[in-house]
Structure formats: structure tokens, C-alpha cells
Amino acid sequence: MPLYLEDVDFIGEIEESNSVLIVPCRTCPSTSVAVRDKKPIFDIFKSFLKSPPLTQYLSAMQNLLEEKGIKTDVFLSRQPLACAWTARERRRLQHRAQKFDTAIVLGCDSTMETARNALKDTNCKVVQGMRVKGIVNVKVRFTLSGKVYLDDIKIISAPGKAADQSGARNSEIA
């Protein structure tokens, strides 16, 4: 049951930053970007368990920041759920973030808490890059070409209320 996340306008919070470390959770942001962009979440034969829509999203974010003269990098965790990182993974983040002014966190409030706790003894400012809009309900569909689609998408924003985001089955682009 992944969370559906929406983008946060963080530009005002990073105006004084010279360097930004982008810290994505690998689960809910991948789902959210794939749903929003109506693209397959995975392509098993080309990028096993690496989400092309999230990779493109991160690249676009880096390009936007670099156009503003901000040095960027992405912290790719070895663990899929940033809200449940081990102490070792939190230390890895702390070590990487020491070279940056700001960390933009892409994930839920629990992921934000993970980053805040990991970076509390650094000079790295923690900024929210996505926020929870609801819970996403989908049907997973596999194709012979190895693409994994999310169909019949519903964003559930409150108990018992669902907003249909696509209604139709996503079609595979050849």
C-alpha cells in the first residue's frame, strides 16, 4: 500500500544553498511518479527494480537545480523504504550529506523524520520535496516485454473516498 506523493515547491527554501543532496525513498516516490506520468514503474529486462520514471524525475530535478548554479547529487539507498532504514544506512546518509548545504527529501513524513534524525548533527538543512496526498490503490500488470504497469489507479485521500486517476488501463507504448 504505497502512499501517493505530490511535489512541494521547495525553491524558496534552497535559495541560499550552493549544494543539494537529493534523498529519495525508493518506494512511494517511484509509484507516485509512474502513476502521475502514466508510465511503467519498472522494465524488468532493462532496469530490474530501478524505476525509469523516478530516474528521469531525479535527473530533471538535478538539471533544474544545476541551472540555478547549485551542485547536486542523489543519495540512492540500498534499502527500499527510507522510513525504515537501518542505523547503518542512516550513517551512510549522514556521511554523504556532510558535503552538502541542503538535503531535499522525497518521501512521506516518516522519511522526513528519518532524514532529520540522521542529519541532526550536521550543518545540512533538511527540506521536504514531496508530501503525502493519499494512499494509492492499483492493480499491477506485467507484459511479455518485461514492463510493469500500474492500472486501475485510485488515490484514496480519506477513508471510504477514492478519486479515480485513470479509470482506463494504461496502454503499452511500443
Side-chain angles (χ1 to χ4, degrees), residues 11-25:
I11 296 298
E13 293 188 64
I14 63 164
E15 288 177 343
E16 304 295 320
S17 298
N18 294 315
S19 59
V20 167
L21 181 64
I22 303 168
V23 183
C25 175

Side-chain angles (χ1 to χ4, degrees), residues 120-170:
K120 67 183 174 192
D121 295 329
T122 69
N123 292 324
C124 187
K125 178 181 179 181
V126 179
V127 173
Q128 188 170 13
M130 290 180 147
R131 72 171 155 252
V132 176
K133 184 173 182 178
I135 299 168
V136 67
N137 181 274
V138 299
K139 290 180 185 171
V140 176
R141 176 174 53 96
F142 299 91
T143 66
L144 293 176
S145 65
K147 292 185 171 84
V148 180
Y149 286 90
L150 304 175
D151 292 333
D152 298 329
I153 301 157
K154 291 183 178 48
I155 309 304
I156 303 166
S157 57
K161 292 190 176 188
D164 189 357
Q165 292 294 307
S166 72
R169 186 177 199 185
N170 295 327

Side-chain angles (χ1 to χ4, degrees), residues 15-89:
E15 288 177 343
E16 304 295 320
S17 298
N18 294 315
S19 59
V20 167
L21 181 64
I22 303 168
V23 183
C25 175
R26 289 182 28 214
T27 304
C28 296
S30 294
T31 301
S32 300
V33 173
V35 164
R36 182 188 67 212
D37 294 351
K38 295 182 172 87
K39 293 187 175 178
I41 190 167
F42 298 116
D43 188 334
I44 294 169
F45 300 125
K46 291 185 181 175
S47 57
F48 184 68
L49 295 182
K50 185 176 177 185
S51 173
L54 182 61
T55 300
Q56 291 168 358
Y57 178 86
L58 294 171
S59 179
M61 181 181 281
Q62 284 186 280
N63 289 338
L64 171 76
L65 295 171
E66 288 170 1
E67 285 173 4
K68 295 182 178 299
I70 300 171
K71 181 183 103 173
T72 68
D73 201 1
V74 177
F75 177 79
L76 290 177
S77 172
R78 298 176 183 133
Q79 299 172 355
L81 296 170
C83 58
W85 280 349
T86 61
R88 183 177 183 183
E89 197 67 4

Side-chain angles (χ1 to χ4, degrees), residues 100-120:
F100 295 87
D101 300 328
T102 304
I104 299 174
V105 179
L106 306 177
C108 66
D109 294 344
S110 185
T111 298
M112 281 292 293
E113 186 66 16
T114 296
R116 273 193 212 99
N117 286 337
L119 302 178
K120 67 183 174 192

